[in-house]
Tab-separated table of all heavy atoms in Angstrom:
chain	number	residue	atom	x	y	z
A	1	MET	N	-5.187	-28.007	-0.022
A	1	MET	CA	-4.739	-26.647	0.191
A	1	MET	C	-3.722	-26.636	1.331
A	1	MET	O	-3.979	-27.134	2.406
A	1	MET	CB	-5.932	-25.760	0.539
A	1	MET	CG	-5.562	-24.336	0.790
A	1	MET	SD	-7.065	-23.386	1.131
A	1	MET	CE	-6.325	-21.921	1.744
A	2	SER	N	-2.564	-26.065	1.075
A	2	SER	CA	-1.545	-25.993	2.120
A	2	SER	C	-1.733	-24.736	2.962
A	2	SER	O	-2.388	-23.784	2.558
A	2	SER	CB	-0.155	-26.009	1.489
A	2	SER	OG	0.005	-24.882	0.659
A	3	ASN	N	-1.154	-24.740	4.151
A	3	ASN	CA	-1.203	-23.576	5.024
A	3	ASN	C	-0.194	-22.547	4.554
A	3	ASN	O	0.901	-22.897	4.115
A	3	ASN	CB	-0.898	-23.984	6.469
A	3	ASN	CG	-1.961	-24.910	7.019
A	3	ASN	OD1	-3.138	-24.751	6.736
A	3	ASN	ND2	-1.547	-25.887	7.796
A	4	HIS	N	-0.547	-21.283	4.655
A	4	HIS	CA	0.349	-20.205	4.248
A	4	HIS	C	0.572	-19.265	5.419
A	4	HIS	O	-0.259	-19.159	6.320
A	4	HIS	CB	-0.238	-19.412	3.080
A	4	HIS	CG	-0.462	-20.223	1.858
A	4	HIS	ND1	0.559	-20.769	1.110
A	4	HIS	CD2	-1.601	-20.597	1.236
A	4	HIS	CE1	0.063	-21.428	0.087
A	4	HIS	NE2	-1.253	-21.351	0.144
A	5	ILE	N	1.684	-18.569	5.386
A	5	ILE	CA	2.008	-17.552	6.372
A	5	ILE	C	2.073	-16.217	5.639
A	5	ILE	O	2.649	-16.121	4.553
A	5	ILE	CB	3.370	-17.841	7.056
A	5	ILE	CG1	3.377	-19.231	7.675
A	5	ILE	CG2	3.687	-16.755	8.085
A	5	ILE	CD1	2.337	-19.440	8.757
A	6	TYR	N	1.479	-15.196	6.249
A	6	TYR	CA	1.432	-13.871	5.639
A	6	TYR	C	2.130	-12.852	6.527
A	6	TYR	O	2.217	-13.021	7.745
A	6	TYR	CB	-0.020	-13.435	5.430
A	6	TYR	CG	-0.747	-14.330	4.458
A	6	TYR	CD1	-1.417	-15.457	4.898
A	6	TYR	CD2	-0.751	-14.050	3.100
A	6	TYR	CE1	-2.083	-16.286	4.004
A	6	TYR	CE2	-1.406	-14.873	2.201
A	6	TYR	CZ	-2.070	-15.989	2.659
A	6	TYR	OH	-2.715	-16.812	1.778
A	7	LYS	N	2.620	-11.794	5.914
A	7	LYS	CA	3.249	-10.695	6.621
A	7	LYS	C	2.625	-9.394	6.121
A	7	LYS	O	2.233	-9.304	4.962
A	7	LYS	CB	4.755	-10.684	6.358
A	7	LYS	CG	5.491	-9.556	7.062
A	7	LYS	CD	6.985	-9.717	6.918
A	7	LYS	CE	7.741	-8.594	7.589
A	7	LYS	NZ	7.634	-8.578	9.033
A	8	LYS	N	2.543	-8.397	7.018
A	8	LYS	CA	2.053	-7.072	6.631
A	8	LYS	C	3.153	-6.046	6.851
A	8	LYS	O	3.877	-6.111	7.829
A	8	LYS	CB	0.837	-6.661	7.468
A	8	LYS	CG	-0.419	-7.388	7.106
A	8	LYS	CD	-1.661	-6.702	7.625
A	8	LYS	CE	-1.768	-6.686	9.119
A	8	LYS	NZ	-3.073	-6.172	9.584
A	9	ILE	N	3.255	-5.119	5.903
A	9	ILE	CA	4.146	-3.977	6.050
A	9	ILE	C	3.308	-2.715	5.896
A	9	ILE	O	2.207	-2.759	5.334
A	9	ILE	CB	5.292	-4.001	5.014
A	9	ILE	CG1	4.738	-4.039	3.586
A	9	ILE	CG2	6.226	-5.164	5.274
A	9	ILE	CD1	5.803	-3.917	2.504
A	10	GLU	N	3.816	-1.606	6.395
A	10	GLU	CA	3.085	-0.345	6.291
A	10	GLU	C	3.912	0.636	5.477
A	10	GLU	O	5.110	0.805	5.723
A	10	GLU	CB	2.814	0.211	7.688
A	10	GLU	CG	1.863	1.391	7.679
A	10	GLU	CD	1.394	1.754	9.070
A	10	GLU	OE1	0.446	1.114	9.565
A	10	GLU	OE2	2.001	2.677	9.657
A	11	ILE	N	3.257	1.248	4.497
A	11	ILE	CA	3.925	2.211	3.623
A	11	ILE	C	2.997	3.402	3.400
A	11	ILE	O	1.788	3.318	3.665
A	11	ILE	CB	4.296	1.579	2.264
A	11	ILE	CG1	3.037	1.095	1.550
A	11	ILE	CG2	5.283	0.453	2.429
A	11	ILE	CD1	3.266	0.764	0.100
A	12	THR	N	3.549	4.498	2.894
A	12	THR	CA	2.744	5.673	2.564
A	12	THR	C	3.016	6.070	1.124
A	12	THR	O	4.162	6.310	0.747
A	12	THR	CB	3.065	6.847	3.506
A	12	THR	OG1	2.794	6.447	4.841
A	12	THR	CG2	2.216	8.060	3.174
A	13	GLY	N	1.948	6.119	0.321
A	13	GLY	CA	2.046	6.566	-1.058
A	13	GLY	C	1.585	8.004	-1.158
A	13	GLY	O	0.777	8.463	-0.348
A	14	THR	N	2.107	8.721	-2.151
A	14	THR	CA	1.749	10.123	-2.324
A	14	THR	C	1.355	10.414	-3.764
A	14	THR	O	1.726	9.691	-4.689
A	14	THR	CB	2.921	11.044	-1.937
A	14	THR	OG1	4.009	10.801	-2.821
A	14	THR	CG2	3.359	10.811	-0.502
A	15	SER	N	0.600	11.493	-3.925
A	15	SER	CA	0.192	11.933	-5.257
A	15	SER	C	-0.310	13.374	-5.180
A	15	SER	O	-0.906	13.773	-4.181
A	15	SER	CB	-0.926	11.047	-5.801
A	15	SER	OG	-1.453	11.581	-6.998
A	16	THR	N	-0.106	14.111	-6.239
A	16	THR	CA	-0.699	15.441	-6.342
A	16	THR	C	-2.062	15.382	-7.015
A	16	THR	O	-2.774	16.378	-7.062
A	16	THR	CB	0.220	16.391	-7.152
A	16	THR	OG1	0.471	15.814	-8.432
A	16	THR	CG2	1.527	16.632	-6.431
A	17	THR	N	-2.450	14.199	-7.504
A	17	THR	CA	-3.695	14.036	-8.260
A	17	THR	C	-4.872	13.598	-7.404
A	17	THR	O	-5.926	14.227	-7.422
A	17	THR	CB	-3.487	13.012	-9.396
A	17	THR	OG1	-2.363	13.407	-10.180
A	17	THR	CG2	-4.714	12.909	-10.268
A	18	SER	N	-4.715	12.469	-6.659
A	18	SER	CA	-5.839	11.928	-5.893
A	18	SER	C	-5.360	10.893	-4.884
A	18	SER	O	-4.237	10.393	-4.974
A	18	SER	CB	-6.855	11.269	-6.826
A	18	SER	OG	-6.298	10.097	-7.415
A	19	SER	N	-6.242	10.546	-3.956
A	19	SER	CA	-5.918	9.484	-3.005
A	19	SER	C	-5.814	8.139	-3.724
A	19	SER	O	-4.966	7.311	-3.389
A	19	SER	CB	-6.956	9.425	-1.885
A	19	SER	OG	-8.250	9.186	-2.400
A	20	ASP	N	-6.659	7.923	-4.714
A	20	ASP	CA	-6.600	6.685	-5.497
A	20	ASP	C	-5.246	6.559	-6.194
A	20	ASP	O	-4.637	5.476	-6.204
A	20	ASP	CB	-7.735	6.666	-6.522
A	20	ASP	CG	-7.813	5.362	-7.273
A	20	ASP	OD1	-8.039	4.322	-6.625
A	20	ASP	OD2	-7.643	5.372	-8.511
A	21	ASP	N	-4.758	7.638	-6.733
A	21	ASP	CA	-3.458	7.636	-7.400
A	21	ASP	C	-2.335	7.373	-6.393
A	21	ASP	O	-1.374	6.664	-6.703
A	21	ASP	CB	-3.243	8.969	-8.116
A	21	ASP	CG	-2.164	8.908	-9.174
A	21	ASP	OD1	-2.116	7.912	-9.916
A	21	ASP	OD2	-1.364	9.861	-9.248
A	22	ALA	N	-2.454	7.901	-5.196
A	22	ALA	CA	-1.456	7.655	-4.153
A	22	ALA	C	-1.404	6.165	-3.799
A	22	ALA	O	-0.321	5.602	-3.605
A	22	ALA	CB	-1.768	8.491	-2.916
A	23	ILE	N	-2.570	5.521	-3.735
A	23	ILE	CA	-2.636	4.082	-3.464
A	23	ILE	C	-1.961	3.306	-4.587
A	23	ILE	O	-1.137	2.421	-4.350
A	23	ILE	CB	-4.096	3.627	-3.291
A	23	ILE	CG1	-4.678	4.202	-2.007
A	23	ILE	CG2	-4.206	2.105	-3.312
A	23	ILE	CD1	-6.190	4.062	-1.883
A	24	ARG	N	-2.298	3.633	-5.816
A	24	ARG	CA	-1.715	2.934	-6.964
A	24	ARG	C	-0.203	3.131	-7.036
A	24	ARG	O	0.540	2.187	-7.346
A	24	ARG	CB	-2.389	3.379	-8.258
A	24	ARG	CG	-3.840	2.954	-8.334
A	24	ARG	CD	-4.524	3.484	-9.604
A	24	ARG	NE	-5.944	3.277	-9.535
A	24	ARG	CZ	-6.569	2.115	-9.758
A	24	ARG	NH1	-5.859	1.049	-10.057
A	24	ARG	NH2	-7.880	2.033	-9.672
A	25	ASN	N	0.273	4.341	-6.735
A	25	ASN	CA	1.718	4.605	-6.730
A	25	ASN	C	2.421	3.755	-5.685
A	25	ASN	O	3.490	3.191	-5.944
A	25	ASN	CB	1.995	6.087	-6.443
A	25	ASN	CG	1.595	6.990	-7.584
A	25	ASN	OD1	1.413	6.553	-8.711
A	25	ASN	ND2	1.434	8.268	-7.287
A	26	ALA	N	1.840	3.661	-4.501
A	26	ALA	CA	2.441	2.880	-3.419
A	26	ALA	C	2.508	1.400	-3.771
A	26	ALA	O	3.553	0.757	-3.597
A	26	ALA	CB	1.653	3.082	-2.129
A	27	ILE	N	1.412	0.854	-4.274
A	27	ILE	CA	1.387	-0.569	-4.615
A	27	ILE	C	2.350	-0.880	-5.755
A	27	ILE	O	3.064	-1.883	-5.714
A	27	ILE	CB	-0.051	-1.024	-4.947
A	27	ILE	CG1	-0.897	-0.986	-3.672
A	27	ILE	CG2	-0.060	-2.415	-5.571
A	27	ILE	CD1	-2.367	-1.212	-3.892
A	28	ALA	N	2.413	-0.018	-6.745
A	28	ALA	CA	3.335	-0.237	-7.871
A	28	ALA	C	4.784	-0.242	-7.400
A	28	ALA	O	5.594	-1.069	-7.842
A	28	ALA	CB	3.127	0.830	-8.937
A	29	LYS	N	5.124	0.658	-6.480
A	29	LYS	CA	6.500	0.722	-5.984
A	29	LYS	C	6.842	-0.505	-5.148
A	29	LYS	O	7.914	-1.100	-5.303
A	29	LYS	CB	6.691	1.998	-5.163
A	29	LYS	CG	8.099	2.239	-4.751
A	29	LYS	CD	8.976	2.454	-5.980
A	29	LYS	CE	10.397	2.796	-5.594
A	29	LYS	NZ	11.254	2.909	-6.775
A	30	VAL	N	5.940	-0.913	-4.260
A	30	VAL	CA	6.185	-2.090	-3.428
A	30	VAL	C	6.323	-3.343	-4.291
A	30	VAL	O	7.153	-4.206	-4.038
A	30	VAL	CB	5.070	-2.268	-2.382
A	30	VAL	CG1	5.154	-3.615	-1.705
A	30	VAL	CG2	5.166	-1.174	-1.346
A	31	ALA	N	5.526	-3.437	-5.336
A	31	ALA	CA	5.543	-4.617	-6.204
A	31	ALA	C	6.883	-4.785	-6.921
A	31	ALA	O	7.184	-5.872	-7.420
A	31	ALA	CB	4.411	-4.545	-7.221
A	32	GLU	N	7.713	-3.739	-6.957
A	32	GLU	CA	9.037	-3.861	-7.569
A	32	GLU	C	9.962	-4.763	-6.746
A	32	GLU	O	10.895	-5.349	-7.289
A	32	GLU	CB	9.685	-2.479	-7.717
A	32	GLU	CG	9.008	-1.598	-8.739
A	32	GLU	CD	9.630	-0.211	-8.796
A	32	GLU	OE1	10.688	0.028	-8.158
A	32	GLU	OE2	9.054	0.652	-9.479
A	33	THR	N	9.707	-4.862	-5.428
A	33	THR	CA	10.616	-5.632	-4.571
A	33	THR	C	9.933	-6.701	-3.722
A	33	THR	O	10.617	-7.561	-3.171
A	33	THR	CB	11.396	-4.692	-3.623
A	33	THR	OG1	10.469	-3.937	-2.861
A	33	THR	CG2	12.297	-3.755	-4.403
A	34	VAL	N	8.621	-6.656	-3.599
A	34	VAL	CA	7.901	-7.624	-2.770
A	34	VAL	C	7.068	-8.526	-3.672
A	34	VAL	O	6.281	-8.036	-4.487
A	34	VAL	CB	6.991	-6.911	-1.735
A	34	VAL	CG1	6.164	-7.919	-0.959
A	34	VAL	CG2	7.824	-6.055	-0.798
A	35	ARG	N	7.239	-9.831	-3.511
A	35	ARG	CA	6.457	-10.793	-4.299
A	35	ARG	C	5.258	-11.266	-3.492
A	35	ARG	O	5.201	-11.096	-2.273
A	35	ARG	CB	7.342	-11.982	-4.675
A	35	ARG	CG	8.461	-11.619	-5.628
A	35	ARG	CD	9.198	-12.847	-6.132
A	35	ARG	NE	9.807	-13.636	-5.077
A	35	ARG	CZ	11.041	-13.469	-4.625
A	35	ARG	NH1	11.802	-12.523	-5.116
A	35	ARG	NH2	11.522	-14.242	-3.676
A	36	GLU	N	4.316	-11.872	-4.165
A	36	GLU	CA	3.140	-12.504	-3.543
A	36	GLU	C	2.249	-11.532	-2.767
A	36	GLU	O	1.666	-11.883	-1.747
A	36	GLU	CB	3.570	-13.657	-2.629
A	36	GLU	CG	4.344	-14.752	-3.321
A	36	GLU	CD	3.515	-15.549	-4.326
A	36	GLU	OE1	2.279	-15.591	-4.202
A	36	GLU	OE2	4.117	-16.137	-5.239
A	37	ILE	N	2.132	-10.272	-3.258
A	37	ILE	CA	1.230	-9.311	-2.622
A	37	ILE	C	-0.198	-9.816	-2.782
A	37	ILE	O	-0.619	-10.200	-3.879
A	37	ILE	CB	1.374	-7.911	-3.244
A	37	ILE	CG1	2.774	-7.355	-2.978
A	37	ILE	CG2	0.312	-6.957	-2.703
A	37	ILE	CD1	3.079	-6.068	-3.709
A	38	ARG	N	-0.957	-9.819	-1.691
A	38	ARG	CA	-2.311	-10.358	-1.708
A	38	ARG	C	-3.391	-9.325	-1.413
A	38	ARG	O	-4.504	-9.453	-1.874
A	38	ARG	CB	-2.439	-11.497	-0.700
A	38	ARG	CG	-1.584	-12.691	-1.026
A	38	ARG	CD	-2.101	-13.347	-2.278
A	38	ARG	NE	-1.412	-14.603	-2.496
A	38	ARG	CZ	-0.974	-14.998	-3.673
A	38	ARG	NH1	-1.160	-14.245	-4.720
A	38	ARG	NH2	-0.370	-16.149	-3.792
A	39	TRP	N	-3.120	-8.330	-0.566
A	39	TRP	CA	-4.159	-7.357	-0.229
A	39	TRP	C	-3.541	-6.065	0.282
A	39	TRP	O	-2.353	-5.992	0.565
A	39	TRP	CB	-5.123	-7.924	0.816
A	39	TRP	CG	-4.569	-8.011	2.209
A	39	TRP	CD1	-4.558	-7.011	3.149
A	39	TRP	CD2	-3.941	-9.116	2.812
A	39	TRP	NE1	-3.958	-7.447	4.298
A	39	TRP	CE2	-3.562	-8.749	4.114
A	39	TRP	CE3	-3.644	-10.400	2.390
A	39	TRP	CZ2	-2.917	-9.604	4.992
A	39	TRP	CZ3	-2.992	-11.258	3.262
A	39	TRP	CH2	-2.649	-10.861	4.535
A	40	PHE	N	-4.387	-5.048	0.380
A	40	PHE	CA	-3.985	-3.815	1.048
A	40	PHE	C	-5.140	-3.305	1.886
A	40	PHE	O	-6.296	-3.594	1.609
A	40	PHE	CB	-3.506	-2.741	0.053
A	40	PHE	CG	-4.593	-2.104	-0.757
A	40	PHE	CD1	-5.231	-0.949	-0.312
A	40	PHE	CD2	-4.990	-2.646	-1.968
A	40	PHE	CE1	-6.225	-0.342	-1.063
A	40	PHE	CE2	-5.986	-2.059	-2.728
A	40	PHE	CZ	-6.602	-0.904	-2.275
A	41	GLU	N	-4.803	-2.572	2.933
A	41	GLU	CA	-5.779	-1.907	3.788
A	41	GLU	C	-5.384	-0.437	3.864
A	41	GLU	O	-4.204	-0.128	4.029
A	41	GLU	CB	-5.738	-2.453	5.217
A	41	GLU	CG	-5.899	-3.933	5.347
A	41	GLU	CD	-5.539	-4.414	6.755
A	41	GLU	OE1	-5.468	-3.598	7.702
A	41	GLU	OE2	-5.317	-5.617	6.898
A	42	VAL	N	-6.345	0.459	3.755
A	42	VAL	CA	-6.059	1.874	3.950
A	42	VAL	C	-6.097	2.148	5.441
A	42	VAL	O	-7.120	1.945	6.096
A	42	VAL	CB	-7.068	2.764	3.196
A	42	VAL	CG1	-6.845	4.224	3.533
A	42	VAL	CG2	-6.962	2.531	1.691
A	43	ALA	N	-4.969	2.579	5.990
A	43	ALA	CA	-4.872	2.872	7.414
A	43	ALA	C	-5.159	4.343	7.708
A	43	ALA	O	-5.734	4.672	8.742
A	43	ALA	CB	-3.487	2.504	7.933
A	44	GLU	N	-4.762	5.215	6.777
A	44	GLU	CA	-4.904	6.649	7.025
A	44	GLU	C	-4.840	7.406	5.708
A	44	GLU	O	-4.078	7.046	4.815
A	44	GLU	CB	-3.759	7.099	7.938
A	44	GLU	CG	-3.794	8.534	8.348
A	44	GLU	CD	-2.662	8.865	9.310
A	44	GLU	OE1	-1.597	8.223	9.263
A	44	GLU	OE2	-2.865	9.782	10.125
A	45	ILE	N	-5.646	8.443	5.590
A	45	ILE	CA	-5.579	9.360	4.450
A	45	ILE	C	-5.378	10.755	5.011
A	45	ILE	O	-6.086	11.174	5.926
A	45	ILE	CB	-6.860	9.329	3.594
A	45	ILE	CG1	-7.082	7.945	3.001
A	45	ILE	CG2	-6.776	10.384	2.483
A	45	ILE	CD1	-8.382	7.819	2.225
A	46	ARG	N	-4.397	11.445	4.471
A	46	ARG	CA	-4.173	12.833	4.877
A	46	ARG	C	-3.652	13.593	3.664
A	46	ARG	O	-3.325	13.003	2.641
A	46	ARG	CB	-3.208	12.915	6.048
A	46	ARG	CG	-1.847	12.376	5.765
A	46	ARG	CD	-0.964	12.400	7.015
A	46	ARG	NE	0.276	11.750	6.726
A	46	ARG	CZ	0.493	10.434	6.849
A	46	ARG	NH1	-0.474	9.648	7.266
A	46	ARG	NH2	1.646	9.912	6.533
A	47	GLY	N	-3.593	14.893	3.789
A	47	GLY	CA	-3.124	15.678	2.666
A	47	GLY	C	-2.540	17.002	3.099
A	47	GLY	O	-2.687	17.436	4.236
A	48	ASP	N	-1.892	17.625	2.152
A	48	ASP	CA	-1.288	18.938	2.320
A	48	ASP	C	-2.198	19.946	1.632
A	48	ASP	O	-2.590	19.740	0.482
A	48	ASP	CB	0.110	18.924	1.684
A	48	ASP	CG	0.795	20.267	1.755
A	48	ASP	OD1	0.739	20.899	2.832
A	48	ASP	OD2	1.397	20.665	0.745
A	49	VAL	N	-2.548	21.005	2.356
A	49	VAL	CA	-3.447	22.022	1.807
A	49	VAL	C	-2.639	23.276	1.482
A	49	VAL	O	-1.844	23.747	2.299
A	49	VAL	CB	-4.576	22.359	2.812
A	49	VAL	CG1	-5.453	23.468	2.266
A	49	VAL	CG2	-5.389	21.126	3.127
A	50	ASP	N	-2.860	23.781	0.290
A	50	ASP	CA	-2.222	25.027	-0.144
A	50	ASP	C	-3.337	26.013	-0.461
A	50	ASP	O	-4.047	25.842	-1.455
A	50	ASP	CB	-1.340	24.772	-1.361
A	50	ASP	CG	-0.552	25.999	-1.787
A	50	ASP	OD1	-0.503	26.989	-1.024
A	50	ASP	OD2	0.018	25.969	-2.895
A	51	GLY	N	-3.520	27.011	0.385
A	51	GLY	CA	-4.632	27.939	0.208
A	51	GLY	C	-5.923	27.232	0.541
A	51	GLY	O	-6.125	26.783	1.658
A	52	ALA	N	-6.791	27.091	-0.440
A	52	ALA	CA	-8.072	26.408	-0.243
A	52	ALA	C	-8.156	25.105	-1.035
A	52	ALA	O	-9.243	24.562	-1.213
A	52	ALA	CB	-9.215	27.333	-0.647
A	53	ALA	N	-7.013	24.613	-1.514
A	53	ALA	CA	-7.016	23.416	-2.357
A	53	ALA	C	-6.074	22.348	-1.805
A	53	ALA	O	-5.073	22.654	-1.168
A	53	ALA	CB	-6.582	23.772	-3.776
A	54	VAL	N	-6.417	21.097	-2.084
A	54	VAL	CA	-5.532	19.990	-1.728
A	54	VAL	C	-4.340	20.016	-2.684
A	54	VAL	O	-4.516	19.959	-3.903
A	54	VAL	CB	-6.259	18.630	-1.823
A	54	VAL	CG1	-5.295	17.490	-1.566
A	54	VAL	CG2	-7.431	18.593	-0.860
A	55	ALA	N	-3.158	20.116	-2.120
A	55	ALA	CA	-1.940	20.169	-2.938
A	55	ALA	C	-1.295	18.797	-3.087
A	55	ALA	O	-0.650	18.521	-4.101
A	55	ALA	CB	-0.947	21.147	-2.326
A	56	HIS	N	-1.474	17.949	-2.065
A	56	HIS	CA	-0.791	16.662	-2.078
A	56	HIS	C	-1.582	15.667	-1.230
A	56	HIS	O	-1.998	15.999	-0.128
A	56	HIS	CB	0.609	16.829	-1.474
A	56	HIS	CG	1.634	15.966	-2.104
A	56	HIS	ND1	2.445	16.389	-3.119
A	56	HIS	CD2	1.983	14.690	-1.861
A	56	HIS	CE1	3.262	15.419	-3.468
A	56	HIS	NE2	3.000	14.372	-2.722
A	57	TRP	N	-1.788	14.463	-1.758
A	57	TRP	CA	-2.453	13.378	-1.024
A	57	TRP	C	-1.408	12.448	-0.455
A	57	TRP	O	-0.411	12.144	-1.116
A	57	TRP	CB	-3.362	12.590	-1.963
A	57	TRP	CG	-4.513	13.369	-2.481
A	57	TRP	CD1	-4.541	14.142	-3.610
A	57	TRP	CD2	-5.801	13.460	-1.915
A	57	TRP	NE1	-5.772	14.696	-3.762
A	57	TRP	CE2	-6.578	14.294	-2.728
A	57	TRP	CE3	-6.391	12.909	-0.775
A	57	TRP	CZ2	-7.897	14.591	-2.454
A	57	TRP	CZ3	-7.713	13.209	-0.509
A	57	TRP	CH2	-8.446	14.042	-1.341
A	58	GLN	N	-1.636	11.950	0.771
A	58	GLN	CA	-0.779	10.944	1.393
A	58	GLN	C	-1.688	9.843	1.937
A	58	GLN	O	-2.598	10.118	2.724
A	58	GLN	CB	0.031	11.537	2.539
A	58	GLN	CG	0.952	12.654	2.110
A	58	GLN	CD	1.588	13.342	3.301
A	58	GLN	OE1	1.083	13.283	4.406
A	58	GLN	NE2	2.716	14.001	3.056
A	59	VAL	N	-1.447	8.611	1.511
A	59	VAL	CA	-2.273	7.481	1.945
A	59	VAL	C	-1.360	6.417	2.543
A	59	VAL	O	-0.451	5.918	1.873
A	59	VAL	CB	-3.085	6.883	0.780
A	59	VAL	CG1	-3.938	5.726	1.265
A	59	VAL	CG2	-3.958	7.950	0.125
A	60	THR	N	-1.603	6.104	3.815
A	60	THR	CA	-0.834	5.055	4.477
A	60	THR	C	-1.579	3.736	4.308
A	60	THR	O	-2.781	3.649	4.576
A	60	THR	CB	-0.633	5.377	5.968
A	60	THR	OG1	0.080	6.611	6.060
A	60	THR	CG2	0.158	4.279	6.670
A	61	LEU	N	-0.855	2.738	3.820
A	61	LEU	CA	-1.423	1.423	3.524
A	61	LEU	C	-0.733	0.348	4.329
A	61	LEU	O	0.460	0.451	4.621
A	61	LEU	CB	-1.215	1.072	2.046
A	61	LEU	CG	-1.724	2.020	0.995
A	61	LEU	CD1	-1.215	1.582	-0.369
A	61	LEU	CD2	-3.228	2.058	1.013
A	62	ARG	N	-1.472	-0.684	4.637
A	62	ARG	CA	-0.889	-1.926	5.131
A	62	ARG	C	-0.967	-2.908	3.970
A	62	ARG	O	-2.049	-3.168	3.450
A	62	ARG	CB	-1.660	-2.448	6.345
A	62	ARG	CG	-1.490	-1.548	7.539
A	62	ARG	CD	-2.165	-2.123	8.773
A	62	ARG	NE	-2.211	-1.105	9.800
A	62	ARG	CZ	-3.312	-0.454	10.174
A	62	ARG	NH1	-4.478	-0.727	9.623
A	62	ARG	NH2	-3.255	0.449	11.120
A	63	ILE	N	0.172	-3.413	3.563
A	63	ILE	CA	0.263	-4.325	2.425
A	63	ILE	C	0.487	-5.727	2.968
A	63	ILE	O	1.420	-5.965	3.747
A	63	ILE	CB	1.450	-3.948	1.513
A	63	ILE	CG1	1.351	-2.492	1.037
A	63	ILE	CG2	1.579	-4.934	0.351
A	63	ILE	CD1	0.280	-2.253	0.011
A	64	GLY	N	-0.366	-6.669	2.582
A	64	GLY	CA	-0.231	-8.064	3.002
A	64	GLY	C	0.345	-8.894	1.874
A	64	GLY	O	-0.081	-8.781	0.732
A	65	PHE	N	1.305	-9.734	2.231
A	65	PHE	CA	1.887	-10.624	1.216
A	65	PHE	C	2.194	-11.977	1.843
A	65	PHE	O	2.394	-12.102	3.045
A	65	PHE	CB	3.142	-10.018	0.575
A	65	PHE	CG	4.261	-9.707	1.518
A	65	PHE	CD1	5.302	-10.604	1.713
A	65	PHE	CD2	4.286	-8.508	2.217
A	65	PHE	CE1	6.325	-10.320	2.584
A	65	PHE	CE2	5.316	-8.204	3.088
A	65	PHE	CZ	6.340	-9.115	3.270
A	66	ARG	N	2.187	-12.987	0.990
A	66	ARG	CA	2.429	-14.368	1.437
A	66	ARG	C	3.907	-14.649	1.442
A	66	ARG	O	4.622	-14.345	0.485
A	66	ARG	CB	1.711	-15.349	0.519
A	66	ARG	CG	1.800	-16.805	0.993
A	66	ARG	CD	0.895	-17.709	0.176
A	66	ARG	NE	1.256	-17.739	-1.216
A	66	ARG	CZ	1.999	-18.692	-1.783
A	66	ARG	NH1	2.443	-19.701	-1.070
A	66	ARG	NH2	2.260	-18.646	-3.053
A	67	LEU	N	4.403	-15.231	2.540
A	67	LEU	CA	5.792	-15.641	2.609
A	67	LEU	C	5.983	-16.898	1.764
A	67	LEU	O	5.125	-17.770	1.729
A	67	LEU	CB	6.205	-15.902	4.047
A	67	LEU	CG	6.137	-14.683	4.984
A	67	LEU	CD1	6.522	-15.091	6.398
A	67	LEU	CD2	7.026	-13.566	4.489
A	68	GLU	N	7.097	-16.968	1.087
A	68	GLU	CA	7.373	-18.118	0.237
A	68	GLU	C	7.654	-19.351	1.076
A	68	GLU	O	8.210	-19.265	2.167
A	68	GLU	CB	8.558	-17.812	-0.688
A	68	GLU	CG	8.249	-16.708	-1.669
A	68	GLU	CD	9.418	-16.372	-2.579
A	68	GLU	OE1	10.564	-16.735	-2.235
A	68	GLU	OE2	9.175	-15.756	-3.615
A	69	ASP	N	7.251	-20.493	0.538
A	69	ASP	CA	7.486	-21.777	1.232
A	69	ASP	C	8.944	-22.144	1.241
A	69	ASP	O	9.721	-21.790	0.438
A	69	ASP	CB	6.678	-22.902	0.554
A	69	ASP	CG	5.174	-22.656	0.678
A	69	ASP	OD1	4.757	-22.067	1.686
A	69	ASP	OD2	4.450	-23.048	-0.256
């Protein structure tokens, strides 16, 4: 097994449906340009409230990926 180096970036995904959907949207978008994604961490969940209902979810993620050799 060789040694690997990893990097983390922080992004925020959004959704009007759910926090889970916001996470999936963020990962799908990052995967368009970042290779070797290995993990994510939820750093923060927040939302926009309209009246008495959640109107928009925002989830900040730390995305870990392996740097290429």
Side-chain angles (χ1 to χ4, degrees):
M1 179 178 167
S2 62
N3 295 322
H4 299 293
I5 304 299
Y6 296 89
K7 180 172 179 67
K8 287 197 294 188
I9 57 174
E10 190 169 277
I11 60 167
T12 301
T14 63
S15 172
T16 56
T17 306
S18 68
S19 59
D20 185 62
D21 198 42
I23 291 168
R24 293 177 190 282
N25 290 342
I27 292 171
K29 187 64 176 176
V30 169
E32 291 177 8
T33 57
V34 175
R35 293 188 300 269
E36 301 293 336
I37 295 172
R38 296 292 188 223
W39 74 85
F40 73 91
E41 305 167 17
V42 174
E44 183 177 28
I45 298 176
R46 61 184 174 272
D48 177 44
V49 177
D50 185 12
V54 175
H56 215 95
W57 294 89
Q58 299 172 338
V59 181
T60 300
L61 304 171
R62 292 185 192 107
I63 304 287
F65 59 96
R66 186 171 62 98
L67 297 178
E68 295 179 341
D69 296 328

